Structure formats: C-alpha cells, structure tokens
Amino acid sequence: MSAPIIAIDAMGGDFGPHCIVPASLSCLAESPSLHLVLVGQSSLLEQLVAQQSGVDRSRLKIVDAPEIIGMAERPAQALRGKPRSSMRIALEQVRDGKANACVSAGNTGALMALARQVLRTLPGIDRPAMVTALPTQADPCLLLDLGANVDCPPEQLFQFAVMGAVAAESLGRQQPRVALLNVGTEEIKGNQQVKQAALLLQQAADLNYQGFIEGDGLYRGEADVVVCDGFVGNILLKSSEGLAGMLVARVEALFKRSLGARIVGAVVLPLLRRLRADLNPAQYNGASFLGLQGIVVKSHGSAGADGFKAAIRRAAQDVEHDLPEQLRSRLGHFLRPPHPYDDVDDVTAGGGQPSN
C-alpha cells in the first residue's frame, strides 16, 4: 500500500502526548507516503502540533477522544466505562476503514481486550499474540507471545506457532524454522503445556518445526520463530533489554578506568557505538498483535521518541505486507491439528489433561 494511514493513541504510555506527538510528527516528516491520525484530547494535541514547525497537515488528522485509559487500569473498566477513550477510538478508526493500523503505548491488558472487542479475531484464533523481532547472531528471530497471554493451553501455543511462521514468511523467510522455548531440548523436558504443544506441532507437516529450543539457542539464531506463553516471553524480552544495556554500559566503563584504557577506547569507540546501535531496544520496539482482523502494534509504555517511531514503522510494515490477510488465507489450512495426547503416556501421566 503506497499511503498507509496509521491511527495513533496519542494519550497512552508513560510519557503521553508530550512524547508521542513529536515522535509521530518526526516519523511523518521522514516518511513522505505516511498519513497519521492522532487520537486524543484535541485541544492539547493541536497545541503540541503547533509547537512543531513544518508539519504537513495534509497528511495529519486529529480526532477528539476526551477519555484516557490509565496504565494501571483494569481491562474491564476500559471495556465498559470509557467508550470515548483514545485507545478505543483509535481502534475504531481501523474497524471503520479510516486507518490501516493502530499504534498504542497504553495499557497492554486494555489494548488486548479492546482490540478483541472492536476488531475481533480471525477465524480459528482464540486469542491474539504479541510478536516482535529480537537480534541474534544470524537474522532477527520472531518471539511470541510477549505478554498478552500469560497462561496458554497447548492449542494456543500451536496457533501462535502458525501465526509466527506466516509472519516470518511475510518478511521473506522461506520455510521458517519454528521452535518451542523450553528448559531443555530433550523431549522429556518441560511442563505439560509445552509437551502437548510439541505433539501438535509434530503433526503439522507443512510447518518446519524444529523441536525445543533454549534461550541461548534463540540468540545463536537457531530458529526463525520461537514460541512461548506470555509470562515467559515478557520476562525474556525485558531481561534481554536489560542485559543489552548492562553490557554496553560495562564496556564503556572499562574504557574509562585508566589512561591506557581510554587510548584503546578511542580506537574501538566506533565499534562500540555500532554495537550499542545494534542492541538498542528502541529499534526493535513495537509488538504486532497477530490474529486480529486488523493491524494493532503495541509500543513499550516507557518508549521514548525513537522507540515510538520504530513502532509506527512496524505498523506501516505490517500494512505493506497486509499481514491479517496473509494470516487469514493460511490459517484454515493449519488450524485443524490432530489431538494425539492419549497416545503419549508420559504427557498425560499424573492426570494432566489438555487445557481448554
């Protein structure tokens, strides 16, 4: 699509419109084909836009939404109590065909609940999954779920694997390698949900399922798609971001400890800056909600301007690849897996049953 239209929940996130509006306008200036719809308290948004010079108003629209969903607010309150919230109205822009995608840095639980209510899930999908790309020693790896679903039965993990594979194919991966994140690579390792999900994936002949993978294998680039529940995925994502920042900070500190270290540091500083740029979490910010009948991208609530711009670019990329339609066309083929639990004694030992 030559001119993607992205609806922005301008009131969400830790920093709100004072960060989101300048970031959005900067992204608008950098992308000549991009159109944005800023959704929020219109008087405030108009003031913030007026503070920026050179704004192309022909590609910018402001839609009023007087209510704000707080970062700690319960999803039920967002669903029932705030019909004119910026998050809901931004999603409705997508539902009504006025925008191709929605980006929000707001409350994740509320965004998930509202997105399911406003946009609905694709046929065969129980719940959407959040996916993002992580840097590895090879090509970036798609990780899902990142926190939208903290408890996942095996059938949902199977659905996540299918959606992740289709998303990887949309990025040009041929026969993407799919793996389940686990505490070991042996078949006897893991909890019941992971073992049962593995049985389902083994029966899916058209998926390039590789088996279990551990966290270190993910970063070695041993899979293109890594699947886990949202509890594990969110911890892995946040830990990865913290580790990357710590490593760069420690290396920089080492080069400041002595005169000799500073001399060496001056030589390797360009490489260090390259490493910092490669590992910068901001450039990977933006998790797509796979499985909806529309495109929704969740930005970190704490993302700064660069991070939020990355989330907008992620949404534009999903629009370009028409990701929901690609998923729709492929899901019916995959999402009727056999249920071989009864044939595997070690999986059902101890009374464990498939989750519903």
Side-chain angles (χ1 to χ4, degrees):
M1 184 175 295
S2 59
I5 304 172
I6 311 297
I8 307 294
D9 170 15
M11 310 305 291
D14 295 345
F15 307 119
H18 295 279
C19 171
I20 291 173
V21 170
S24 299
L25 297 181
S26 175
C27 200
L28 188 71
E30 294 170 5
S31 306
S33 65
L34 182 65
H35 290 66
L36 293 181
V37 179
L38 294 178
V39 183
Q41 296 173 351
S42 57
S43 59
L44 174 58
L45 299 185
E46 289 286 1
Q47 291 176 15
L48 293 172
V49 170
Q51 294 172 7
Q52 307 293 316
S53 60
V55 178
D56 184 354
R57 292 301 298 254
S58 69
R59 295 188 290 122
L60 177 68
K61 181 181 179 181
I62 292 177
V63 174
D64 186 52
E67 297 174 330
I68 301 172
I69 295 174
M71 295 300 284
E73 202 161 316
R74 292 183 179 275
Q77 173 63 18
L79 280 171
R80 303 186 188 98
K82 294 189 174 179
R84 302 184 66 196
S85 70
S86 58
M87 185 182 289
R88 176 184 284 275
I89 292 178
L91 290 166
E92 289 175 348
Q93 294 285 305
V94 179
R95 181 198 64 191
D96 298 340
K98 298 176 181 178
N100 307 115
C102 168
V103 178
S104 175
N107 182 317
T108 302
L111 183 62
M112 166 65 86
L114 284 170
R116 290 182 68 196
Q117 183 185 75
V118 173
L119 299 177
R120 306 295 182 183
T121 56
L122 291 167
I125 297 298
D126 297 325
R127 292 178 64 87
M130 292 172 61
V131 61
T132 196
L134 291 181
T136 75
Q137 292 180 21
D139 292 324
C141 168
L142 296 183
L143 175 68
L144 69 166
D145 179 44
L146 300 176
N149 308 278
V150 295
D151 293 307
C152 298
E155 292 83 2
Q156 284 185 11
L157 293 176
F158 178 88
Q159 293 171 15
F160 295 170
V162 171
M163 292 193 294
V166 174
E169 288 176 354
S170 76
L171 298 175
R173 308 286 177 87
Q174 301 297 319
Q175 287 291 303
R177 299 162 297 164
V178 178
L180 279 170
L181 188 62
N182 199 2
V183 295
T185 58
E186 302 87 353
E187 291 186 0
I188 62 171
K189 296 288 184 69
N191 58 27
Q192 299 302 314
Q193 286 84 355
V194 168
K195 290 179 182 178
Q196 292 170 3
L199 295 177
L200 297 178
L201 289 167
Q202 288 166 6
Q203 301 299 312
D206 292 331
L207 277 181
N208 186 13
Y209 176 60
Q210 302 289 300
F212 295 141
I213 191 172
E214 295 180 270
D216 56 346
L218 184 159
Y219 288 106
R220 285 196 294 268
E222 294 176 1
D224 301 300
V225 178
V226 173
V227 177
C228 58
D229 64 47
F231 184 86
V232 172
N234 192 268
I235 291 173
L236 174 61
L237 178 67
K238 300 292 177 58
S239 299
S240 301
E241 292 170 350
L243 177 62
M246 183 272 290
L247 287 174
V248 171
R250 290 289 296 271
V251 171
E252 288 179 332
L254 286 174
F255 286 132
K256 297 176 181 178
R257 286 188 173 181
S258 66
L259 177 60
R262 286 195 292 271
I263 294 172
V264 174
V267 176
V268 302
L269 187 58
L271 294 176
L272 181 60
R273 288 173 176 163
R274 172 75 178 272
L275 174 64
R276 181 165 53 193
D278 288 344
L279 298 180
N280 183 6
Q283 72 166 319
Y284 296 98
N285 182 49
S288 303
F289 275 21
L290 296 183
L292 292 167
Q293 298 188 50
I295 295 171
V296 178
V297 172
K298 172 67 173 70
S299 168
H300 276 309
S302 60
D306 289 341
F308 197 82
K309 287 166 62 176
I312 296 175
R313 289 192 291 268
R314 167 72 62 184
Q317 184 180 57
D318 287 352
V319 172
E320 178 185 355
H321 294 139
D322 198 4
L323 197 51
E325 185 55 39
Q326 290 203 41
L327 287 167
R328 188 194 304 274
S329 65
R330 299 289 304 280
L331 291 177
H333 177 69
F334 284 112
L335 294 182
R336 289 180 176 83
H339 296 275
Y341 305 130
D342 294 338
D343 298 330
V344 183
D345 294 337
D346 63 306
V347 170
T348 57
Q353 296 295 326
S355 301
N356 295 317

